[in-house]
Structure formats: C-alpha cells, structure tokens
Amino acid sequence: MKESAVIRSRLLFQTAILEAGSTTIPLGGSVTLSCSVEPSAGWKYRWFRKTSDTFVEFSTNNEENRDITVRQGGIYRCNGVRGNPAFTSNPSRDVTIEITFSNKVVVTRRPNWPQMFSGETITLTCEVQGGETTEWTYEWKRDGLVVDWINGKDSTFIVSESSSGDYMYKPRAKLTKGPTTIPVGGSVTLSCSVEPSAGWKYRWFRKTSDTSEVQIRTNNGENRYITVAQGGIYRCEGVRGNPAFTSNPSRDVTIKITFSNKVVVTRRPNWPEMFSGETITLTCEVQGGETTEWTYEWKRPGLATHRTNSKDWTFIVSQSSSGDYMCQCKLRDDRYSSTQRSNAITLSVSGKPKAQLDRNNAELPPGGRVTLTCTVNSLSSFSYTSSSSSAWKYVWYRGENCSELLTGEEAVFPSNGEINVSEEGLHWCRGKRGQPVYYTILSDPISIDEAS
C-alpha cells in the first residue's frame, strides 16, 4: 500500500471531540463550546445545531472555529476539516446543551393578605430579575403539579376552597430535640416549626421499628412544644387554614433517651474466686428506678447478650465464664430508652479443686490421737483454708471406700479444718460451701497405723 493511502486510512478513524463549558449563566450570557481532533495540526471546524428533526450547519466569524459561543440550548455536534481536497473527520457525539439562567425568579401576589376567602380575586406575578425585556413563557405549579402555561407574567384567578396550597413550593416542618439524657421519670422536650411560622398548629407522630405509626395526643392547642418520656422515631407536621392545609412532614428523628441514674451490679456469693460447677447470682439495680419495669441486658466480651426481665441472673459457672460482666437496663416496652452500662464486675473461675489431707503423726500412740488437717487449694495462685473468707466447711470419711462418715453433713465441725482421730485405717476429707452445696474433689487417703 502506498504511504499516502496508509495515512488516509488512519485518518478515517479520527473523531471530533466536543466539550462544553459552564451551562449556568446570567441572562444574555453565553456558553463556550470547544471542538478538537487529535492530532490537532491543520484542522478547521464545522458546527451543527439540531432544530426540529434535522441538523443545520451554522457559521461563525472565527476562521478556525475551534471555540464558539452560543446563547441557545439545543443538540450540538461538530467535525474537523483539513487538506485540499478537503478531508472530514468523523463527527463528534451529539451533546445536549441545557442552559440554566442564574437570574433570580420572584413571585409576588396582590392583594398580600395573610389569608384569602372563597370568591376573592388574586393576582400572582412572576418576575425574572434582570430579564424584563426577554420574551418568556411562564409555567405555574401548585403542590408540584403544572396548573397553567401563559405568555404573560400575571396569573389572575378567583380563589376557592380547592385553591388552598403553596405556589412554587410547599414548606417542610422541622423537628428539633432538646437534651436526651434525663433521670428516670424525666422527660425530653421536642419542638416543631414551619417557616414562615404564622398560624400553624402541629401534629405529632411516634413509631418504633416494631409497630405502626401512632399520633400523639396532647392538651396543648398549638402543640409546637411537647414533652415525651419514651424514645422512638418521631415526626411532626404543621396544619393551618380552613380547609386545613398540611405542610410536608418533618424528617424522621430517632430519639434515644439515656437515663442518668447509676446502675450497680453485685454478686452472691462474693468470693474472690469461683470454681467450675459453682452457682452464682449477679444482681443489676438502677438506683432510683426500683418501681420501673426494666429489661436487663448482660454483656460479656465474646458472648451474645443475655436478656431477662428479672434483675437477678443465676447461672452455673465454668472456666470459660471468667471475664468482665456489665449490665444495661432498658424500659420493657421501649427499646429506645436505656440506662448507661454499669461498671464491670470481674469473675475469676478456676477448675474444680481437690481437698488436701495432712496429719501431724503417721502412727497412732496407744490411747492417744492423731490430728488431721484438711485444706482446699485451687489450681490458680489463690489458696483457701478453713479460716479464709471463702467459708469452706469439711466432711470427713474413714474406710477403704469412704464407707464411714465421721461427721454429719450439716455439722460445722471443726471450723479450722482439723479433726482428731483415735482409730487406725484410711481417712479422707473434702470441702463444701455455698447454696446449693458445692463439693470439692475428694482428697487422697491417709493411712493411720497403730504404733508398734
């Protein structure tokens, strides 16, 4: 293929690019359109604007015509031309230019009474500031719907009850909340407003995510301010006139009430260390909220929330129960109103302990006694004896298979974990505490022999 043919083949794929500047301009201003073909050397440009169903070329005084100014909206395209004979690039894509005039539009009315009555005549006037000499077509809308197209700026009509409404816009109510941290039994103030504010009364609505919306009834005639003691999703709207004209409703506002009362967690038993299999009761109390019906939510890192309608949570612990526990209370019929979380209470749980049995003498002297001592040692760094605050009591046995009970199950004997025995044979012990009773693992046996 000859070199000139190759060049012409490549040029067949050259496409013009049309770019538009800002299309928001003051009345009488212009929009700049720019056309380019890459590579750009030697190109001049032709411009087209679509009217009706066809494109019509228009000329300018710019020799190259790369940049032009236009004052009309429409569908535009361009292409590049160069060489002799003329070679034309592919046309640009069609670009729709919609010009928005930045001039302010003002609507006035005559008469400007705050309220009109059925049968009176009113004139609405639409003016484009800075556009007095331009020929306009005026589009009137009421409540978002087109009601009239006219060539004059004045629209005169006789009002009726069906004419109620706002022209060009409909106001929206605004809901404002006050502080939402209150004591139990307190209230939160909500306010509603519509601008301009003259003549409005207000209606209030509340819903939760689980229920449908319910209108709130109050004794306040205007209802601009209301007090509520429940959280939820609130909205309001303004009403005025006769027949009633209703504003757009406010946006939904979620009210989450936080009660400032302190939440305290206690535990029974209050031993510094618990053992796997023991029973504990955690109690959550809202100080100053004793008569309120609460749902109690317990949280511990790594576990799902535990909920109960009772302030007491009783459970059997295991080693995995170790950790920090916190309680938060919510109104039973209102999950949007809650206390802050309590301070953490820490549980330390070890594996089931084994009793340890010791003696002061391996042989039983004739007519004498041997003192046995029973203690409970955990697998952790804690060590408890009969004198500790962990309240261990001890049960004593004798025989090959613990067949003989030396002390009654209910006896507190002796309190120091010691017992004196005067018979030979195998002896055992174990600790017990709490309610329900929790037993340690049985100690290893100790053999008492008579002295030879």
Side-chain angles (χ1 to χ4, degrees):
M1 183 182 292
K2 294 182 178 180
E3 183 178 358
S4 60
V6 173
I7 294 173
R8 183 172 182 82
S9 175
R10 291 175 179 170
L11 291 175
L12 288 174
F13 296 97
Q14 301 302 311
T15 299
I17 299 174
L18 192 159
E19 296 176 337
S22 173
T23 56
T24 299
I25 59 173
L27 193 64
S30 60
V31 175
T32 299
L33 305 182
S34 178
C35 191
S36 62
V37 178
E38 296 299 336
S40 60
W43 295 100
K44 295 182 179 180
Y45 299 94
R46 299 165 61 196
W47 291 88
F48 304 86
R49 177 175 179 267
K50 191 173 185 179
T51 59
S52 300
D53 298 325
T54 60
F55 277 95
V56 176
E57 184 176 2
F58 60 93
S59 59
T60 68
N61 295 325
N62 186 328
E63 181 177 353
E64 186 182 89
N65 281 350
R66 177 170 183 171
D67 300 310
I68 65 169
T69 56
V70 297
R71 292 176 173 81
Q72 291 178 298
I75 302 173
Y76 288 83
R77 71 166 57 158
C78 66
N79 58 32
V81 181
R82 72 177 181 184
N84 189 8
F87 171 74
T88 303
S89 74
N90 292 322
S92 69
R93 293 182 176 87
D94 293 347
V95 175
T96 300
I97 303 298
E98 294 183 352
I99 296 177
T100 301
F101 297 117
S102 58
N103 304 60
K104 186 177 181 180
V105 180
V106 178
V107 175
T108 58
R109 66 181 187 180
R110 301 188 310 275
N112 192 24
W113 297 327
Q115 185 177 12
M116 299 292 295
F117 298 94
S118 181
E120 291 187 301
T121 299
I122 191 169
T123 297
L124 301 181
T125 301
C126 182
E127 292 184 298
V128 181
Q129 294 182 348
E132 295 80 0
T133 60
T134 304
E135 292 186 352
W136 300 102
T137 296
Y138 299 83
E139 176 189 284
W140 289 93
K141 287 185 177 182
R142 180 165 65 88
D143 295 343
L145 300 176
V146 176
V147 294
D148 205 3
W149 283 88
I150 57 176
N151 289 329
K153 64 181 181 179
D154 294 331
S155 175
T156 302
F157 56 96
I158 297 174
V159 299
S160 65
E161 292 182 349
S162 63
S163 302
S164 297
D166 288 328
Y167 282 77
M168 301 307 296
Y169 74 97
K170 187 175 184 178
R172 179 179 293 279
K174 180 180 179 181
L175 192 160
T176 305
K177 64 180 179 180
T180 54
T181 298
I182 61 173
V184 172
S187 60
V188 173
T189 299
L190 307 180
S191 68
C192 191
S193 61
V194 177
E195 297 298 337
S197 59
W200 295 101
K201 295 182 179 180
Y202 299 92
R203 295 192 298 198
W204 292 87
F205 304 87
R206 175 182 179 265
K207 69 177 179 179
T208 67
S209 56
D210 305 279
T211 63
S212 57
E213 187 174 69
V214 177
Q215 185 172 352
I216 302 172
R217 303 291 181 183
T218 69
N219 295 322
N220 185 330
E222 184 180 279
N223 281 350
R224 179 169 185 176
Y225 301 97
I226 67 170
T227 57
V228 298
Q230 289 180 302
I233 302 171
Y234 288 83
R235 72 174 177 90
C236 66
E237 60 187 19
V239 181
R240 74 174 182 182
N242 188 11
F245 171 72
T246 304
S247 73
N248 286 322
S250 69
R251 292 176 173 84
D252 289 348
V253 175
T254 300
I255 303 298
K256 292 185 177 180
I257 295 176
T258 302
F259 297 114
S260 56
N261 304 58
K262 187 175 181 180
V263 180
V264 177
V265 175
T266 56
R267 66 183 187 182
R268 300 188 312 274
N270 193 23
W271 297 325
E273 184 179 24
M274 300 288 294
F275 296 96
S276 182
E278 287 192 293
T279 299
I280 192 170
T281 297
L282 301 182
T283 300
C284 182
E285 292 185 297
V286 180
Q287 296 182 346
E290 294 82 359
T291 61
T292 305
E293 290 189 343
W294 300 103
T295 293
Y296 300 84
E297 294 188 351
W298 295 90
K299 289 193 175 181
R300 181 166 74 86
L303 291 183
T305 299
H306 176 77
R307 294 181 177 87
T308 177
N309 287 335
S310 170
K311 66 180 180 179
D312 294 329
W313 179 24
T314 301
F315 57 98
I316 297 173
V317 300
S318 64
Q319 286 181 274
S320 63
S321 301
S322 295
D324 293 334
Y325 289 76
M326 292 181 290
C327 176
Q328 182 181 39
C329 303
K330 295 185 178 181
L331 292 181
R332 196 168 296 180
D333 59 349
D334 175 17
R335 66 188 190 91
Y336 290 89
S337 300
S338 63
T339 65
Q340 296 178 342
R341 287 193 178 91
S342 68
N343 291 331
I345 189 169
T346 303
L347 291 187
S348 176
V349 182
S350 299
K352 191 176 183 72
K354 182 176 181 178
Q356 180 175 329
L357 182 60
D358 295 302
R359 61 191 175 186
N360 69 337
N361 196 340
E363 294 184 338
L364 181 66
R369 296 186 177 186
V370 172
T371 300
L372 302 180
T373 303
C374 192
T375 57
V376 176
N377 297 306
S378 73
L379 300 178
S380 69
S381 60
F382 291 96
S383 178
Y384 303 115
T385 65
S386 58
S387 61
S388 76
S389 61
S390 299
W392 289 107
K393 300 175 184 178
Y394 299 93
V395 185
W396 303 83
Y397 306 89
R398 188 164 65 89
E400 285 291 336
N401 297 307
C402 303
S403 56
E404 183 179 349
L405 182 64
L406 297 183
T407 59
E409 283 287 329
E410 300 303 321
V412 183
F413 175 79
S415 60
N416 61 358
E418 293 184 354
I419 189 172
N420 294 318
V421 297
S422 58
E423 294 182 78
E424 63 177 345
L426 294 177
H427 290 74
W428 321 65
C429 74
R430 63 175 174 172
K432 70 173 185 176
R433 70 176 183 181
Q435 186 63 38
V437 176
Y438 176 79
Y439 291 97
T440 68
I441 299 172
L442 199 67
S443 70
D444 293 329
I446 284 182
S447 179
I448 304 296
D449 301 318
E450 288 187 356
S452 56

